[in-house]
Amino acid sequence: MIILDTSAITALADGHKTLNLLAGNMAKTPGERLKIPALCLTQAEAGEENLAQRVLAFASVVDSLNMMAAVSVGTLIRDGCGDPDTCHALYCALPRPEFTGMSILLIGKEEAYPPGVVTVDIDSSGMLGHH
């Protein structure tokens, strides 16, 4: 599962070449979708009008903030793991019963995440296997 944080969502909406290629490739792969945490989408839309429309045009799934997610995200916020959008992205990257594979959290600002969180910078040279 590939998860986009707020900065990656904003970059995708603004035409980030590598993210657009990734989103296009995922749209052609059955069962593959970009996972967009609802609080990240909310934060991105708050910063730029109509951003959500551009992002949701790609094959994506918005991870809603259901009761369990709300409690878990609230705990992460209380524990000092970051802002609400960052904590929702962290929650989405945690192992879940409905998804047993490895999650990849794509980010634009590494300093937003606590030490020990595995993230991939959207501008890294090896993001899509290119060096």
Side-chain angles (χ1 to χ4, degrees), residues 58-82:
F58 291 100
S60 60
V61 174
V62 176
D63 190 88
S64 64
L65 203 59
N66 62 28
M67 182 177 63
M68 187 62 189
V71 171
S72 298
V73 170
T75 300
L76 290 168
I77 295 166
R78 184 188 64 231
D79 290 348
C81 294

Side-chain angles (χ1 to χ4, degrees), residues 34-97:
L34 296 173
K35 181 79 95 176
I36 297 176
L39 291 179
C40 293
L41 183 62
T42 300
Q43 186 64 38
E45 177 68 22
E48 187 177 332
E49 187 176 5
N50 297 321
L51 177 140
Q53 291 174 335
R54 295 191 310 272
V55 170
L56 295 176
F58 291 100
S60 60
V61 174
V62 176
D63 190 88
S64 64
L65 203 59
N66 62 28
M67 182 177 63
M68 187 62 189
V71 171
S72 298
V73 170
T75 300
L76 290 168
I77 295 166
R78 184 188 64 231
D79 290 348
C81 294
D83 293 330
D85 59 325
T86 301
C87 289
H88 194 186
L90 288 170
Y91 170 77
C92 288
L94 294 173
R96 298 193 204 181

